[in-house]
Amino acid sequence: MGKDWLEGVKDEYDVVVIGSGLGGLTSANVLAKCGHSVLLLEHHYQYGGLATWFKRPGRHIFDISLHGFPYGMVKSCRKYWTREIADSIHQLKDVRFINPQFDVWTTFDREDFTNILVDNFELSRAEVEAFYVHLRQMNFYDDDQRTTGEMFEEFFPGRDDVHRLLLEPIAYANGSTLDDPAITFGIVFSNFMSKGVFTFQGGTDVLIGKMVEEMKRNGVELRKNVLVSEVLTEDGPSGTSVTGAVVSGRERSGEFGNRRTIRCKAVVSNANIVSTVKRLVGENRFSKEYIDELDAVRINSSSCQVYMGIKAGETIPNIGDLVFTSDAERFSSEELVDFKTTSRTFSVYYPETRPGSERYTVVASLNGKYADWNRLSADEYQAHKERLIEESIVALERYIPDVRSKIDYLDAATPRTIHYYTRHPGGTSFGTKFEGLRCSMELPDQIHGLYHAGSVGIIMSGWLGTMNYGVIIANKVDKQLVTARNRDKAKEVHVA
């Protein structure tokens, strides 16, 4: 008989959190520290969402997703997690851009980046500073209809090389394009320009492990291998409210069984906003106007990755921590997600990334579209995975000529892989486009007690964005629960 993943789970909690991406984990931790009973459920066999990792023979550990985020991650981890986690975040000082238009090596902080724009791209310091000032003044609530491309053209007309340098790293971080609202670039880029790019020293497995330990100390009940199939609601005098969730544990066969209903006062979904509404709750529970708005939300792009493990005892030279490469003559948002794109970013993991391991790994990341990969037959799919791997090795050989002989493990992930493990529609790596944020924030207006803390709107994506969005949502849930609790106490006093 298989393990009962729901053993010890109570019949009722204040909050059920669905999914353990950074938004879900952070929401659960904040709510538990506020004194609420919290059950966090994850259908996968490990926590973290896309902030995750996998192990392979040869003592290889591969982190999934690009391993760079802004300095704000330090402050958020210190405030909402632990000082130990925050103190393990270190700067990546070698960020490279290599393409037919330029070859740049930078620390990606404001001072160094400004010097590059002035010295290498021959912009005036006044032009660059005016751009920075404008970005700092951008407000989420402003009615700014410009696209990122239009803003670039306003400040740096005709300079597609400058546009490329500015947007390319952000496009890999959250799927941004030249046609997205300017605000989505401005806020994210400003975050990076604060102090540069940072990563967690020790690896994603250590980070998530420390987060799980902290949640358990704060009283969160965590369960992996548990699928939420339905969020239950009921109609009342004041509208529709959340009442619970239907959950199932993974059985030895891999299927989910042993269905149970967990009652709760609130649900925080860390799933995609479209999946939350249409799969977990059901369209019939929402107003037609809301569903029409949701149907207009665009799903963001997906990604591919190639994992290259270096043999034990072998070394590779320092070619940079993040290396953005492309053979495209000019930057194009369409080329970046093309099925046969030549644009890829190498995340290089040196031994100091995982102290004590003495191992090197390289992960090539490429943006992509689910539809391109989903239409392939089984044989075609395997052939294109092999093509993806070979092209990535050839691209890496430009910087490490003998790297092929040093690799003893190779594998690749595609948008189909992401869809399989995350259940995200379209295998999206970055949630939804900007308009998804409004639908996410309006969820509790439709159903009392229903909240969303997934990746939406580009701003609320990436490691820092989703973590901070988890905090925002947790504060809203806390307010609802405290208000209800105070109202119930007032009724008791009145009756007495």
Side-chain angles (χ1 to χ4, degrees):
M1 188 171 181
K3 179 179 175 64
D4 180 4
W5 295 101
L6 290 166
E7 183 180 2
V9 171
K10 297 184 296 184
D11 291 330
E12 184 171 3
Y13 292 83
D14 291 330
V15 187
V16 170
V17 178
I18 304 171
S20 68
L22 291 180
L25 294 176
T26 306
S27 288
N29 196 47
V30 170
L31 285 165
K33 288 198 287 187
C34 288
H36 306 297
S37 60
V38 181
L39 172 65
L40 182 143
L41 301 173
E42 168 58 54
H43 83 277
H44 193 30
Y45 58 79
Q46 61 191 31
Y47 302 110
L50 282 174
T52 192
W53 69 97
F54 64 90
K55 299 180 180 181
R56 288 296 181 267
R59 297 180 60 213
H60 294 297
I61 304 179
F62 295 98
D63 283 350
I64 293 174
S65 77
L66 292 180
H67 66 311
F69 38 76
Y71 180 75
M73 191 77 170
V74 177
K75 295 184 286 187
S76 291
C77 284
R78 184 174 292 126
K79 186 172 183 179
Y80 304 114
W81 287 100
T82 67
R83 177 172 291 276
E84 180 188 14
I85 290 175
D87 289 347
S88 296
I89 296 175
H90 294 236
Q91 185 178 6
L92 294 174
K93 296 185 178 181
D94 296 317
V95 181
R96 294 181 68 182
F97 298 87
I98 308 170
N99 57 63
Q101 290 181 286
F102 51 81
D103 186 340
V104 169
W105 196 311
T106 175
T107 55
F108 208 67
D109 55 45
R110 177 165 174 167
E111 180 180 0
D112 189 55
F113 207 73
T114 300
N115 290 336
I116 287 170
L117 287 170
V118 172
D119 298 337
N120 296 41
F121 291 79
E122 300 181 343
L123 297 173
S124 72
R125 195 166 293 273
E127 286 179 288
V128 178
E129 289 299 329
F131 181 64
Y132 288 150
V133 169
H134 180 76
L135 295 184
R136 286 201 307 273
Q137 292 175 343
M138 295 180 81
N139 189 304
F140 174 73
Y141 296 101
D142 289 344
D143 186 24
D144 188 342
Q145 299 297 316
R146 292 174 304 165
T147 66
T148 297
E150 290 169 343
M151 181 177 68
F152 286 170
E153 196 61 30
E154 178 183 333
F155 282 89
F156 311 110
R159 293 298 304 271
D160 64 347
D161 55 340
V162 175
H163 303 175
R164 183 179 205 161
L165 179 65
L166 294 172
L167 184 59
E168 200 163 57
I170 309 304
Y172 279 104
N174 61 19
S176 291
T177 72
L178 289 166
D179 295 326
D180 284 317
I183 185 69
T184 63
F185 169 84
I187 291 178
V188 177
F189 184 78
S190 293
N191 285 341
F192 277 108
M193 281 294 99
S194 171
K195 293 187 178 181
V197 183
F198 290 75
T199 194
F200 184 83
Q201 189 175 56
T204 311
D205 53 326
V206 176
L207 170 64
I208 300 301
K210 291 182 181 297
M211 287 181 166
V212 169
E213 290 173 2
E214 173 66 6
M215 285 190 293
K216 288 180 177 178
R217 283 193 292 267
N218 291 325
V220 178
E221 190 76 57
L222 298 105
R223 290 292 188 277
K224 54 190 175 183
N225 289 299
V226 174
L227 178 71
V228 178
S229 57
E230 184 180 0
V231 173
L232 301 174
T233 63
E234 69 177 24
D235 297 329
S238 57
T240 306
S241 300
V242 162
T243 60
V246 178
V247 306
S248 305
R250 192 187 303 274
E251 298 180 332
R252 181 169 292 178
S253 64
E255 299 300 316
F256 290 91
N258 186 25
R259 285 165 57 98
R260 284 183 56 184
T261 296
I262 308 296
R263 298 190 303 276
C264 61
K265 303 176 182 68
V267 164
V268 176
S269 174
N270 190 215
N272 184 276
I273 180 63
V274 176
S275 300
T276 299
V277 171
K278 297 192 173 187
R279 182 170 60 83
L280 293 179
V281 182
E283 294 185 39
N284 62 319
R285 307 302 286 166
F286 297 85
S287 70
K288 181 181 182 303
E289 292 75 18
Y290 180 84
I291 294 300
D292 288 345
E293 184 179 8
L294 184 71
D295 285 342
V297 172
R298 296 165 295 161
I299 298 298
N300 215 329
S301 56
S302 187
S303 54
C304 300
Q305 291 194 316
V306 175
Y307 308 100
M308 294 170 267
I310 305 301
K311 297 175 185 176
E314 293 283 4
T315 63
I316 57 175
N318 180 11
I319 64 167
D321 297 302
L322 290 173
V323 187
F324 297 86
T325 71
S326 179
D327 291 339
E329 291 295 326
R330 295 286 185 270
F331 176 79
S332 161
S333 295
E334 291 73 27
E335 193 281 334
L336 201 65
V337 296
D338 189 81
F339 187 53
K340 294 188 177 181
T341 180
T342 65
S343 302
R344 55 178 54 81
T345 299
F346 293 106
S347 297
V348 187
Y349 296 80
Y350 303 96
E352 53 267 28
T353 309
R354 294 178 180 275
S357 71
E358 301 303 320
R359 299 301 295 273
Y360 297 79
T361 58
V362 181
V363 179
S365 297
L366 306 86
N367 287 9
K369 293 179 288 189
Y370 178 73
D372 288 339
W373 288 88
N374 193 45
R375 67 173 180 237
L376 302 176
S377 68
D379 289 343
E380 290 171 332
Y381 181 69
Q382 187 58 39
H384 281 290
K385 280 184 68 174
E386 291 172 3
R387 171 187 61 81
L388 198 67
I389 291 171
E390 177 61 21
E391 289 175 353
S392 295
I393 296 174
V394 170
L396 185 59
E397 285 176 321
R398 298 178 185 177
Y399 318 110
I400 310 175
D402 60 346
V403 71
R404 189 183 296 265
S405 66
K406 297 184 176 185
I407 296 172
D408 68 350
Y409 181 84
L410 286 164
D411 202 354
T414 74
R416 280 166 60 165
T417 315
I418 295 172
H419 180 264
Y420 176 79
Y421 284 108
T422 67
R423 298 176 177 242
H424 289 171
T428 177
S429 303
F430 310 111
T432 72
K433 291 292 188 179
F434 187 65
E435 62 272 11
L437 180 56
R438 180 174 172 177
C439 288
S440 174
M441 298 187 77
E442 289 179 347
L443 209 53
D445 297 331
Q446 292 287 311
I447 296 179
H448 182 70
L450 181 62
Y451 299 86
H452 177 254
S455 181
V456 283
I458 297 179
I459 296 173
M460 302 304 184
S461 64
W463 285 30
L464 178 60
T466 49
M467 180 182 291
N468 286 343
Y469 194 39
V471 174
I472 292 170
I473 296 305
N475 289 334
K476 291 184 176 183
V477 177
D478 175 59
K479 183 178 179 180
Q480 174 206 314
L481 295 175
V482 170
T483 299
R485 192 172 298 156
N486 290 340
R487 185 172 59 245
D488 291 342
K489 288 182 179 178
K491 287 181 180 178
E492 292 174 4
V493 170
H494 180 71
V495 171

